[in-house]
Amino acid sequence: MSGEVCPPLARSTLDRAAHRRNDPDWLAEAWERARVLVLDSADDGRALVRGEGAPPELVLVGPDELPEVPRSVPMFLGVEPDGVPVFAVDAPLPELPGTRRANLREVGHLLVDRDAGIFTTGLALLNWHVRHGYSSVTGYSTQVDEAGWSRVDALGERVWPHTDPAMIVLVHDAVDGPEGHCLLGSNAAWARNPGERRYSCLAGYVEPGESAEAAVFREVREEVGVGVAEIAYAGSQSWPFPGSLMLGFLARADVDEPIRVDPAEIAHARWFTRREIGAALAGEAVDVGGERLVLPPPSSIALFLIHRWLDGHC
């Protein structure tokens, strides 16, 4: 998806060229002329970027510029519009002048569509490989196959990359203007900075046998005790930390319905007005029980949903 308003990590210009994954002759030739994304699994999957302004540029190198001992075989990500293939490898990041290490969370929203797609795809694939060194069927160790798009054990048992579907929802009261409200929660597991409290959209994994919309209704009810209606899909994006597909929704609820949080999941939840959210996004201090309101990071789909609601796209 490119050239339209969409979640920040849903942008890409890469042709995945899946028909090439089982073509060893083509892959060998493609590697010699490839652009390579180096990702460091030992450093939270960071990559190199260049430039302090916006947008920073994702650094890709040639095969001859790689560290001598990569941790992984090359993973084929796809082909760029100019016909050049792109691979990713897990390795210590090379020392290149004018570059810095960056996490996808930090820069994903700042990257151009091309770089966002390459970084997101490479990191999602890398994180899947890191966690699937053994077959869940046989218990034997697995090896990379199909140019990085499967793993197979000695008995031929094969597994392919997957992502875990999760829903995330911006609950609102369907009221227009500055006094319209949205319902945000502060997760009980989040680390806290003194004097600050982070609030975000409600989210949870889609359970077996459940639709995404049913998960929205269930999770909101479980986490804050509120019923929702008019559930509307708003978009999706990969969240490779380590491997989720975030399905974004907007849903209406009654602002007068009592909030009853599940303390195991949500430390606190409350309704915020558009005026408050707009002020927080503008850098103003918004008080929440003596602490400053902090909203989700820019690379998240949560902030994308908040902006959708704030701009009246409900």
Side-chain angles (χ1 to χ4, degrees):
M1 181 182 295
S2 178
E4 59 186 82
V5 177
C6 66
L9 301 187
R11 299 170 295 127
S12 182
T13 62
L14 199 63
D15 175 1
R16 296 194 173 210
H19 63 289
R20 296 296 193 183
R21 296 171 186 171
N22 285 301
D23 187 340
D25 292 337
W26 184 89
L27 289 167
E29 182 276 329
W31 174 252
E32 297 301 318
R33 58 188 177 89
R35 298 178 181 126
V36 184
L37 172 65
V38 184
L39 296 164
D40 190 350
S41 64
D43 190 19
D44 198 27
R46 283 179 167 80
L48 292 179
V49 297
R50 180 180 290 111
E52 296 296 333
E57 177 187 354
L58 186 66
V59 175
L60 304 182
V61 300
D64 57 342
E65 299 176 273
L66 290 173
E68 291 186 7
V69 188
R71 301 188 190 99
S72 73
V73 301
M75 299 173 286
F76 173 60
L77 303 186
V79 177
E80 298 229 54
D82 63 1
V84 177
V86 178
F87 289 77
V89 297
D90 178 12
L93 298 182
E95 298 290 337
L96 298 177
T99 66
R100 60 185 174 90
R101 295 168 175 260
N103 185 286
L104 183 62
R105 293 186 187 91
E106 303 164 6
V107 300
H109 62 293
L110 299 174
L111 298 172
V112 298
D113 292 0
R114 174 253 194 187
D115 289 356
I118 291 173
F119 200 166
T120 302
T121 301
L123 183 60
L125 197 56
L126 170 67
N127 283 344
W128 178 79
H129 280 291
V130 167
R131 288 163 175 78
H132 289 80
Y134 294 88
S135 170
S136 62
V137 177
T138 67
Y140 289 122
S141 63
T142 58
Q143 303 298 320
V144 178
D145 199 13
E146 297 183 314
W149 289 92
S150 73
R151 298 185 70 94
V152 63
D153 69 11
L155 300 181
E157 192 68 40
R158 188 178 300 275
V159 61
W160 289 269
H162 67 272
T163 57
D164 297 317
M167 51 66 50
I168 182 166
V169 59
L170 191 286
V171 178
H172 61 91
D173 63 357
V175 173
D176 295 330
E179 296 309 317
H181 292 78
C182 72
L183 176 59
L184 303 178
S186 181
N187 195 291
W190 287 340
R192 297 279 303 280
N193 292 324
E196 296 180 344
R197 183 180 286 273
R198 178 156 58 102
Y199 283 79
S200 186
C201 301
L202 303 175
Y205 287 106
V206 179
E207 295 186 343
E210 185 177 49
S211 70
E213 291 81 0
V216 169
F217 187 89
R218 174 185 55 77
E219 284 285 350
V220 175
R221 178 69 81 181
E222 289 178 354
E223 292 189 350
V224 296
V226 172
V228 295
E230 298 176 19
I231 299 170
Y233 178 69
S236 66
Q237 75 170 25
S238 172
W239 191 244
F241 306 106
S244 299
L245 175 65
M246 304 302 298
L247 306 169
F249 293 87
L250 298 161
R252 180 181 58 80
D254 184 353
V255 72
D256 293 322
E257 188 172 355
I259 296 174
R260 299 183 179 89
V261 302
D262 174 2
E265 296 279 347
I266 304 296
H268 193 258
R270 58 162 281 188
W271 290 93
F272 293 89
T273 65
R274 275 194 181 86
R275 194 185 309 276
E276 290 175 307
I277 296 299
L281 289 172
E284 300 176 23
V286 175
D287 181 77
V288 283
E291 298 174 298
R292 183 187 180 111
L293 169 64
V294 176
L295 292 174
S299 290
S300 68
I301 193 173
L303 194 63
F304 167 80
L305 294 173
I306 290 172
H307 275 293
R308 290 263 306 199
W309 166 78
L310 190 67
D311 296 338
H313 302 300
C314 294

